């Protein structure tokens, strides 16, 4: 393979999410999140797994940061658990907040830059009982929570992300019922889209007020979408619908100040004066989570109503591509396409999640996956795209949402019975990429 060298200052990191790794879900004042409640629903999560013990990061944090240092990670993207910091969405919990205070200090002591995500899907269950993201008031509760975290960590944390993948929160959680809170209500999902984006805007305002030197943005899971047959009107319509629901309904309000008119018509009725000005306030970067691309058709067996609200006619014909352990098609070229398509949004891009589920510690498939996708980023940079960093998903094997502990995304193997950590082959490989700032011959 040819040599690929990344620009000076390119950021190499790894990412996690609080509910997936922390465990300790009932200690130090933490209240239930929607995921704690969802895990108690029979059949909602594979094998009846829960977020406790997770990878016990709450107790093993210092050891995990030492592992990051041993791998040469320059940055660590993590999320704060809202139910720890403001249990039930209410008063501030100093014990919960102190964990993130210690985490940030430990990272900085090891020379690792903290990248903080405020919301990675763990809404306090009490707020869900009041309507959750279908309730406009939840966005204002998020602003209160953001104020709490920023006031505590403004002196040490520069890089802030409001939301992670609002598509999953809105559509998997409120339409498809696949993720917490497990609802199957398209109208609630539409409302959740707007209220999540409003939370982003309110969160950005709080960050700007409390962290003068903040580098702040939002992270979206984005997928390049193409029709099976570009000359077939039904396929083109299908691609437009999926691109609208997956990408444009979140990109357009942030960068253009409006929702696309061709998807979720009910969104327009939810917008109140001043909302779009908040949502479209300038961001300093866009976080891009990429796992696969989509090629879609308007023909074939109709889909049952699910997370694709208004696009139930779309089909996803399989292609002759390798599959991850999750059954996802692998196409690293799609990442180049996506980054090139995003270049005209006018802000720096960071690949804030990219990875795959594969079994084993000698995980050659993961090495191949990461090699192809990191080279795809290099190809985008060669085409003039301003990509400034890469965060591998994930640092640790973890609770993989509805799949429980069955799928392993980590660079580090976790024995969930003993909590022993073992660097996988991919971790050693990634450490060399970081040290070389790219690939040798």
């Amino acid at each position: 393979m040819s040599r690929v060298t990344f620009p000076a200052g390119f950021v190499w990191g790894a990412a996690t999410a609080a509910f997936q790794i922390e465990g300790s879900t009932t200690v130090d004042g933490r209240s239930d999140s929607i995921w704690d409640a969802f895990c108690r629903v029979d059949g909602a999560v594979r094998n009846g797994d829960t977020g406790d013990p997770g990878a016990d990061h709450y107790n093993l944090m210092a050891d995990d940061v030492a592992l990051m240092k041993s791998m040469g990670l320059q940055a660590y993207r993590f999320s704060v658990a809202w139910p720890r910091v403001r249990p039930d969405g209410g008063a501030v919990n100093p014990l919960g907040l102190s964990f993130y205070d210690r985490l940030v200090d430990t990272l900085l002591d090891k020379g690792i830059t903290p990248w903080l995500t405020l919301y990675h899907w763990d809404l306090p269950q009490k707020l869900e009982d009041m309507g959750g993201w279908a309730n406009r008031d939840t966005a204002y509760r998020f602003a209160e929570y953001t104020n709490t975290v920023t006031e505590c960590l403004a002196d040490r944390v520069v890089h802030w992300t409001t939301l992670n993948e609002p598509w999953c929160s809105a559509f998997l959680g409120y339409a498809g019922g696949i993720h917490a809170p497990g609802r199957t209500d398209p109208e609630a999902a539409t409302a959740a889209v707007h209220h999540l984006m409003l939370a982003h805007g309110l969160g950005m305002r709080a960050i700007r007020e409390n962290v003068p030197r903040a580098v702040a943005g939002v992270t979206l899971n984005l997928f390049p979408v193409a029709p099976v047959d570009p000359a077939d009107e039904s396929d083109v319509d299908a691609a437009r619908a999926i691109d609208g629901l997956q990408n444009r309904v979140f990109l357009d309000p942030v960068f253009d100040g409006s929702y696309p008119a061709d998807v979720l018509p009910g969104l327009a009725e939810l917008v109140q004066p001043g909302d779009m000005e908040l949502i479209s306030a300038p961001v300093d970067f866009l976080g891009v989570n990429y796992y696969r691309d989509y090629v879609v058709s308007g023909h074939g067996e109709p889909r049952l109503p699910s997370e694709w609200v208004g696009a139930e006619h779309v089909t996803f014909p399989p292609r002759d591509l390798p599959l991850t352990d999750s059954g996802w098609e692998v196409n690293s070229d799609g990442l180049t396409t996506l980054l090139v398509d995003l270049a005209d949004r006018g802000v720096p891009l960071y690949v804030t999640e990219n990875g795959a589920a594969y079994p084993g510690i000698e995980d050659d498939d993961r090495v191949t996956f990461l090699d192809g996708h990191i080279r795809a980023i290099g190809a985008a940079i060669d085409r003039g795209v301003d990509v400034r960093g890469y965060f591998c998903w994930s640092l640790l094997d973890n609770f993989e949402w509805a799949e429980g502990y069955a799928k392993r995304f980590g660079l580090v193997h976790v024995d969930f019975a003993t909590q022993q950590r073992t660097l996988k082959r991919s971790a050693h490989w990634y450490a060399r990429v970081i040290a070389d700032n790219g690939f040798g011959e």
Side-chain angles (χ1 to χ4, degrees):
M1 300 291 287
S2 61
R3 179 173 182 80
V4 179
T5 301
F6 283 76
F10 190 85
V11 176
W12 298 99
T16 65
F19 188 76
Q20 292 182 270
I21 66 166
E22 285 181 358
S24 297
T25 57
T26 61
V27 304
D28 292 341
R30 182 189 180 280
S31 66
D32 266 1
S33 74
I34 54 175
W35 272 96
D36 295 289
F38 191 63
C39 288
R40 291 193 286 267
V41 175
D42 187 37
V45 176
R46 183 181 292 201
N47 300 323
D49 292 336
T50 72
D52 210 350
D56 200 22
H57 178 69
Y58 192 74
N59 294 307
L60 299 176
M61 176 267 291
D63 294 338
D64 289 339
V65 174
L67 275 178
M68 298 177 212
K69 180 67 174 179
S70 75
M71 294 167 57
L73 294 183
Q74 300 165 355
Y76 175 52
R77 178 177 174 255
F78 64 95
S79 74
V80 172
W82 188 346
R84 286 198 196 282
V85 170
R86 297 191 70 135
D88 291 330
V92 177
N93 174 28
L95 278 176
L97 194 57
S98 70
F99 171 73
Y100 301 102
D101 194 63
R102 297 193 307 274
L103 170 58
V104 167
D105 283 348
T106 305
L107 290 167
L108 292 173
D109 183 62
K110 296 294 186 182
I112 300 169
T113 301
W115 279 65
L116 189 152
T117 298
L118 286 157
Y119 186 70
H120 200 133
W121 308 355
D122 47 0
L123 182 71
Q125 177 61 35
K126 188 169 183 178
L127 294 184
E128 174 58 30
D129 294 340
M130 299 166 66
W133 288 113
N135 179 0
R136 183 181 172 93
D137 186 64
T138 301
Y140 294 91
R141 303 290 76 74
F142 176 78
E144 294 172 350
Y145 156 67
T146 300
N147 267 319
T148 297
V149 180
T150 51
E151 287 170 358
C152 175
L153 299 175
D155 59 330
R156 286 157 290 159
V157 176
V158 174
H159 298 90
W160 297 82
T161 302
T162 53
L163 310 177
N164 178 81
E165 298 185 357
W167 183 89
C168 294
S169 297
F171 293 121
L172 296 184
Y174 287 86
I178 300 166
H179 279 189
R183 293 169 64 177
T184 53
D185 182 347
E187 290 187 5
T190 299
V193 169
H194 181 58
H195 299 150
L196 282 156
M197 297 315 295
L198 178 60
H200 158 72
L202 292 166
M204 285 293 297
R205 184 170 69 181
I207 291 168
R208 297 297 188 209
E209 289 174 351
N210 295 332
V211 193
R213 61 186 184 133
V215 177
V218 65
T219 284
L220 306 177
N221 54 323
L222 301 170
F223 298 73
V225 184
V228 169
D229 181 356
D232 185 298
E233 185 175 343
S234 293
D235 288 357
V236 171
D237 177 68
R240 185 184 304 112
I242 296 302
D243 178 58
L245 288 168
Q246 182 73 61
N247 302 321
R248 291 182 287 115
V249 78
F250 300 105
L251 287 168
D252 288 5
V254 173
F255 292 102
D256 301 332
S258 62
Y259 290 113
D262 59 322
V263 294
L264 300 178
L267 274 174
E269 302 170 8
L270 297 166
V271 177
Q272 296 187 15
D275 285 2
M276 300 317 294
E277 289 78 8
L278 276 170
I279 295 169
S280 62
V283 294
D284 300 311
F285 68 89
L286 174 64
V288 178
N289 291 358
Y290 176 82
Y291 290 95
R292 57 170 297 177
D293 63 339
Y294 286 139
V295 174
V296 300
S297 175
H299 303 282
E301 187 69 24
R303 293 178 57 88
L304 295 174
S306 64
E307 64 270 23
W308 298 108
V309 177
E312 293 84 11
H313 63 290
V314 177
T315 62
F316 296 77
R319 293 174 286 172
D320 186 20
L321 290 171
L323 301 178
T324 71
D325 198 36
S326 302
W328 300 346
E329 294 175 334
V330 178
N331 180 20
S332 60
D333 290 342
L335 180 52
T336 304
T337 299
L338 175 63
L339 295 171
V340 170
D341 288 348
L342 291 170
D344 64 359
R345 296 293 180 171
V347 296
L349 306 176
Y350 290 85
V351 177
T352 39
E353 285 184 27
N354 174 244
Y358 293 109
I361 293 175
E362 297 298 323
D363 54 344
D364 291 343
D365 285 338
R366 179 173 289 104
V367 170
T368 300
F369 180 99
L370 296 177
D371 183 284
H373 285 79
I374 293 173
R375 289 180 187 276
I377 297 169
I381 293 172
D382 288 344
R383 294 176 62 175
V385 183
D386 186 8
V387 189
R388 298 191 182 180
Y390 176 82
F391 292 79
C392 181
W393 184 269
S394 177
L395 175 69
L396 302 169
D397 287 339
N398 53 45
F399 174 87
E400 186 48 37
W401 308 114
E403 293 288 347
Y405 297 102
K407 305 300 180 186
R408 292 182 174 266
F409 278 81
L411 295 164
V412 177
H413 178 273
V414 177
D415 181 326
F416 294 109
T418 66
Q419 295 300 335
Q420 181 175 340
R421 272 78 160 137
T422 305
L423 295 180
K424 300 179 186 179
R425 179 170 181 261
S426 57
H428 295 290
W429 174 89
Y430 188 43
R432 291 193 297 273
V433 172
I434 297 170
D436 293 341
N437 196 33
F439 305 92
E441 297 293 344

